[in-house]
Amino acid sequence: MVTFGIKNLDIWFGAAQALKQVNISIESNEILSIIGPSNSGKTTFLRMLNRLNDLSSNCKMAGEVRFGQEDLIKIDVELLRKRVGMVFALPLPLPLSIFDNVAFGVRMHGERDRKILENRVEEALKQSYLWEEVKDRLDVSAFKLSGGQQQRLCIARTLAVEPEVILFDEPCSGLDPISTAKVEEAMLKLKKKYTIVLVTNNVKQAARVGDRTAFFLSGELIELDKTDKIFTAPQDKRTDDYITGAFG
């Protein structure tokens, strides 16, 4: 099944064109890794998938983007962001307890039943591989957690509202190798239930977790293929040059 179908996508911020004629389908229950140098359009593409670019008043978009059978632009934006969650590069825990951080979005959507909240929090923390580390201190401030734990807490907060898609924007950029490995392990398990789109500057990470990999350059989708093929036999020399470190 196709989760997102994107045809002839153009995005501008004022006079600057950030994406140019992008055509791509994102399959259900896959991890799509997106790689490319800075200013290649990776994050603009990712933010388009839950309309965060709408927050920029000078953003214009042309082309067709379908989320399942629906026109992305016609979906209520708050509902869309519940269905398409996002985890950012820097973990941003709220000044609340671990429990209240994870439960925050669920409460925002109207849930007040304590038992349901407890079940959602526990399940989300288990899915993000954090439960065993925090289950005995859920009332402790989230700021007491390490950076890697805070990132997994933010993943749990996203999962608790039961999205269909998880967008990751450089989720391991500030993490040590051990924390990075735990986040990647969580991603590989999560794809059984969710569609995942990962923007990363770490090509090795893209190779480790991606089912398919897309290479963006100067706002264009240069190449998209199965990850093992992208990393062993890319069709475009620019892809090969980026992967091998010739530029970027």
Side-chain angles (χ1 to χ4, degrees):
M1 282 181 59
V2 174
T3 298
F4 289 103
I6 295 143
K7 295 180 181 178
N8 303 321
L9 175 67
D10 293 303
I11 293 180
W12 296 266
F13 291 95
Q17 189 165 2
L19 289 175
K20 306 167 188 174
Q21 288 294 292
V22 173
N23 291 276
I24 188 171
S25 292
I26 301 173
E27 305 292 330
S28 301
N29 303 104
E30 76 167 341
I31 299 177
L32 175 67
S33 295
I34 300 178
I35 60 173
S38 297
N39 299 314
S40 60
K42 307 186 301 293
T43 295
T44 295
F45 177 81
L46 192 74
R47 290 167 64 90
M48 175 275 299
L49 295 174
N50 72 349
R51 289 176 52 194
L52 280 177
N53 292 326
D54 291 9
L55 299 174
S56 298
S57 59
N58 65 342
C59 180
K60 293 190 302 178
M61 187 173 102
E64 178 180 303
V65 182
R66 302 201 71 80
F67 179 27
Q69 300 301 312
E70 301 174 81
D71 184 339
L72 188 85
I73 297 302
K74 295 181 179 178
I75 300 173
D76 176 81
V77 72
E78 294 305 320
L79 176 59
L80 176 66
R81 290 176 189 156
K82 179 179 184 294
R83 297 171 65 189
V84 184
M86 189 159 182
V87 177
F88 297 92
L90 292 176
L92 297 169
L94 302 167
L96 302 168
S97 69
I98 294 169
F99 181 95
D100 288 336
N101 261 271
V102 182
F104 184 82
V106 185
R107 286 180 170 136
M108 286 286 289
H109 289 288
E111 185 57 69
R112 294 291 181 267
D113 186 291
R114 180 71 185 184
K115 191 63 179 175
I116 291 174
L117 290 172
E118 288 174 352
N119 289 340
R120 290 273 198 99
V121 168
E122 180 176 344
E123 179 62 23
L125 287 169
K126 284 178 176 177
Q127 288 184 303
S128 62
Y129 283 73
L130 190 57
W131 175 250
E132 292 300 325
E133 298 169 41
V134 302
K135 63 182 180 182
D136 297 322
R137 52 188 180 123
L138 294 176
D139 58 345
V140 169
S141 168
F143 294 140
K144 298 288 188 181
L145 298 176
S146 70
Q149 289 173 325
Q150 287 184 8
Q151 189 62 295
R152 282 180 284 145
L153 179 75
C154 292
I155 294 171
R157 191 170 67 208
T158 298
L159 295 173
V161 298
E162 299 181 334
E164 300 164 41
V165 179
I166 310 170
L167 310 177
F168 288 95
D169 188 11
E170 303 269 2
C172 303
S173 60
L175 303 185
D176 61 77
I178 292 174
S179 296
T180 294
K182 288 183 177 179
V183 171
E184 290 177 2
E185 184 180 6
M187 285 185 203
L188 290 168
K189 295 282 187 182
L190 289 169
K191 75 172 184 177
K192 296 175 182 176
K193 186 174 180 181
Y194 306 94
T195 299
I196 294 174
V197 186
L198 166 68
V199 162
T200 179
N201 282 330
N202 185 335
V203 294
K204 292 181 179 178
Q205 180 175 69
R208 285 193 296 265
V209 304
D211 296 296
R212 293 189 301 155
T213 295
F215 172 56
F216 279 71
L217 182 65
S218 301
E220 297 182 48
L221 173 61
I222 303 300
E223 190 166 352
L224 169 67
D225 212 327
K226 291 182 178 179
T227 294
D228 56 356
K229 188 172 180 183
I230 285 280
F231 281 88
T232 58
Q235 299 298 300
D236 193 293
K237 185 178 185 300
R238 292 169 293 180
T239 310
D240 188 51
D241 285 346
Y242 178 74
I243 289 169
T244 57
F247 73 92

